[in-house]
Structures are given as C-alpha cells and as structure tokens.
Amino acid sequence: MDLNGKIAALLRDFAAIQPSKQKMWGYKRAARTVLALDEPIESLLQADGTLKKIPNIGPASTRIILEVLTTGTSPTIEAAISGSHQKPDIDRRGGLRAHFLSRAQVLEALRDATLGGPSRDEYRGDLQMHSTYSDGSQTLRDIIEAGIALGYEYNAVTDHSYGLPIAGGVSMERLAKQHREIDRLNAEFGRRFRLLKGIEANIRADGSVDMAPGELATLDIVVASPHSGLRTKDDQTRRMVRAVTTRGVHILGHPRGRKYGSRPGVTAKWKKVFAAAAESGVAIEIDGDPSRQDIDCDLARTAIDAGCLFALDSDAHSTRELAPYTDVAIAHARLAGVPSDRIINCWPLARLLRWADSRR
Ligand SMILES: [Zn+2]
C-alpha cells in the first residue's frame, strides 16, 4: 500500500473543495510534496505520535496526514467531500490516478533486486527532452553536460515541431540553426558525448505527423506524440496505428497523453496499436514525467507481449528534471519486466543509429 500516493490524492481532493485560493494552493503544494518524498511517509512518524517536520507541509495538512497514518483514511476529508456538490467531479478525477507511482515507489522499484528489467547503470541516454529552442529552459550545452554528469553516452534533444505553436514549436529555419549548434557542440565534445538531432512531432487527428518525409529525414530521432483528442472516449485506434506505421517515426511518445488526476488520454485498442508498432519497429515510450507516467507498468505488459521495443525517456524541460524523471520511466519498466535488450536507451550509440537509419 502506497500511503504517499493515497495521502497526496486525498490532499488534492481536499484542495478542490476549498473556498479560498490560498487554502487550495496550500493543500495542492502539500500533495505535491508528499508525492515527491523519497521515503514512505509512515517512516516519518515519530515515537510520540507526531510527524517529523516536512518543508512545504503546514499544520492543517499535517493533521490530515496523521489521520491517515492512524486510521487508514481521513474522516475529515471524506465528510467534507460527501457534503460537497463537487463530489462527482472529484470521483472522476480520482479515477484518473491509476498506476501512477509516487517518488518513494519509484526509488523502491529501482532498489528492488527481485524485479527484472533495466537498471540505472544499463541506461545510456535519454531520447525525449526539450530545450530553449521550444518550451524548455535548458540549453543544448546544459543537456550535454548533464548527460555526461549522469554517465550517459548520448541524449536526443526533441523540441516540439512547427505544427505545435502553442508549445513553442520550432520552424524549419530555427531547427537548421539548432542543427548547426549541435554540430559545433558534438565537434567540441568529440567522443565524450553525442547530442542527437531529434524532434517531437505532433500526431494530427488523422494519425499523420505534422512534418514532411524530407523534413523527418534530417533528424537522427523522431518522436511522434499525440497532443490533441486526449479527453474524448471515441476510439482512436486508427489514428495511433497510422502514426506508428509512418516511415521516419522512431518512437511513439507519451502514447495516451494522459495527465495525473486530470485527463484520461487517447482511447484505443492498445493491443492492436502495439502489434502494429512491433511490426513496423517503432518503439513505445514510457514517458517519465511524473504527471504523465505514460505508458505505465500495467499497459507496458501488453506492449511486452506484443513484442514491442521501448524507449524510456524523461521528457524533461529543465536539467533538474532529467535524472528524477528518467527514474520514473525505469521504475515502470522494472515493474513491468521489460527486457533491457528491448529498450533502445540501453543500446550502444552505434546500434541505436543503425536502427534509426533502418526506419528512414
Ligand atoms: Zn509531448
């Protein structure tokens, strides 16, 4: 039982029914803090029945946490919600938190020697992240230096494509400029590190990607991801099958586009989508952004059975997100038991590039 996840969910629910913005933010911040704790929260309970002080968690949230630690739930929150007209919406959001891991669970999965799947040491490079060229805050040099510090051989910078202006999608002119900068940096770092030229292309409603084949061919790694149609229950199997059978696409990024407690993402017959991806050789991403965790360990088992390749990526927008977000992706892969040989991030650079070439 993951009490960190349970308490964070209760605090989020409680935040939703607060009359004041200030209280709402307070409970939300407490929820975020509990989800990000390295240790199970019960380990912070002291012999005198009080909780060790946690930064960003105020007295009201502490009382809720103690309630859950002593009774297993929070009568305060349950009573408040059952009397609220927002109960249906809160119940709906609660259903959108399945198979999300707290940070404490992620670290436990990385430590647990009984699990199969990849270890941190086998991980050679991260294949989805954003830079200052689109909506990220990290420069290309930051990405290289962070990769070297993490012991990686390569990273791919995958800014948004021009079809997604809302996320700062890069024009082809700006992409050419980025490629010149990447060439200069790769020449400077030589054999110490390789920054790959990537893009996160957008999957349109009809399943086509928003870049021309000739444009895709200028890139080392193409991630294609859905950023629309993420709240409808309509079946989108055809859209996703078309995306994973598009020549030049390497990775299906955050396949569902779900968000923690807020949207369910794409509805599709995933067995079919994964079978098509396995046949065409497109890797299925486990996106490690804690609010995405997409696909998760549960759906990953379906992708293993379909014979898929996997990409475990951070989807980081800043350097401080790189390592912890990758941990989330690795944890899901370990819980699902994805064999390391099927994870493209565990391949040496030469093998990765050979495979990427074969998809062009
Ligand atoms: Zn995306």
Side-chain angles (χ1 to χ4, degrees):
M1 178 68 191
D2 175 42
L3 284 179
N4 296 30
K6 175 165 185 166
I7 288 169
L10 282 165
L11 290 169
R12 288 287 295 227
D13 290 346
F14 205 30
I17 56 168
Q18 294 307 311
S20 87
K21 276 242 149 63
Q22 199 191 350
K23 282 188 173 170
M24 182 189 84
W25 286 117
Y27 286 118
K28 272 196 172 173
R29 192 180 55 209
R32 235 186 354 262
T33 304
V34 172
L35 269 187
L37 286 175
D38 284 350
E39 58 282 280
I41 197 158
E42 55 270 34
S43 70
L44 301 177
L45 192 60
Q46 306 179 105
D48 63 358
T50 62
L51 196 67
K52 230 185 226 170
K53 180 85 191 110
I54 307 169
N56 290 326
I57 294 185
S61 297
T62 300
R63 275 196 299 279
I64 300 289
I65 293 168
L66 286 172
E67 254 184 32
V68 179
L69 290 181
T70 46
T71 70
T73 182
S74 168
T76 305
I77 294 180
E78 279 175 4
I81 288 173
S82 71
S84 155
H85 65 279
Q86 293 178 59
K87 189 172 186 313
D89 190 49
I90 287 169
D91 289 346
R92 182 187 62 80
R93 286 170 179 273
L96 300 174
R97 297 192 188 115
H99 307 296
F100 277 91
L101 303 175
S102 66
R103 173 78 182 156
Q105 281 182 301
V106 166
L107 294 178
E108 177 55 32
L110 293 178
R111 272 193 307 264
D112 186 347
T114 66
L115 295 172
S119 69
R120 262 180 179 157
D121 292 344
E122 290 174 284
Y123 190 85
R124 294 168 187 259
D126 188 344
L127 299 172
Q128 194 201 161
M129 67 190 65
H130 300 264
S131 77
T132 50
Y133 278 83
S134 67
D135 58 349
S137 65
Q138 46 189 356
T139 64
L140 301 183
R141 184 178 290 276
D142 292 338
I143 289 171
I144 293 176
E145 285 171 353
I148 291 172
L150 288 164
Y152 297 172
E153 293 172 30
Y154 51 82
N155 274 339
V157 60
T158 57
D159 283 305
H160 291 286
S161 56
Y162 56 77
L164 207 62
I166 195 172
V170 285
S171 65
M172 288 310 289
E173 292 73 36
R174 216 165 134 64
L175 195 62
K177 181 172 176 260
Q178 184 184 59
H179 288 181
R180 286 193 296 275
E181 189 183 341
I182 291 175
D183 288 339
R184 278 196 303 277
L185 285 164
N186 280 336
E188 178 187 332
F189 284 88
R191 295 166 69 115
R192 285 169 66 206
F193 198 82
R194 172 79 173 267
L195 184 59
L196 299 171
K197 296 167 182 167
I199 197 88
E200 184 185 8
N202 184 39
I203 301 174
R204 296 191 190 105
D206 66 358
S208 62
V209 300
D210 65 346
M211 291 175 75
E215 295 171 344
L216 294 181
T218 64
L219 295 148
D220 296 317
I221 289 286
V222 174
V223 181
S225 324
H227 297 96
S228 61
L230 311 179
R231 291 176 190 274
T232 167
K233 286 204 172 77
D234 295 347
D235 181 85
Q236 301 186 62
T237 306
R238 265 170 61 158
R239 175 192 188 194
M240 303 315 286
V241 167
R242 179 166 178 195
V244 298
T245 51
T246 300
R247 198 129 202 100
V249 170
H250 297 106
I251 297 170
L252 175 61
H254 52 72
R256 288 171 295 186
R258 71 170 185 169
K259 272 281 168 102
Y260 176 79
S262 120
R263 66 178 188 227
V266 167
T267 300
K269 294 181 188 72
W270 290 105
K271 230 173 133 170
K272 257 192 169 164
V273 176
F274 294 153
E279 200 187 319
S280 75
V282 164
I284 300 299
E285 185 179 71
I286 299 181
D287 186 306
D289 178 330
S291 69
R292 292 189 179 275
Q293 309 196 21
D294 183 17
I295 58 176
D296 55 59
C297 53
D298 188 54
L299 194 51
R301 290 185 192 104
T302 308
I304 294 173
D305 293 344
C308 289
L309 294 172
F310 288 80
L312 314 186
D313 301 328
S314 68
D315 197 358
H317 287 65
S318 73
T319 45
R320 71 185 160 73
E321 293 171 351
L322 286 166
Y325 286 19
T326 305
D327 286 347
V328 174
I330 295 174
H332 278 285
R334 288 177 63 79
L335 289 165
V338 181
S340 304
D341 194 53
R342 282 218 234 153
I343 298 168
I344 62 175
N345 319 68
C346 296
W347 293 351
L349 179 63
R351 181 176 176 194
L352 179 72
L353 292 176
R354 263 201 316 279
W355 167 78
D357 258 346
S358 75
R359 295 242 2 103
R360 260 182 221 109

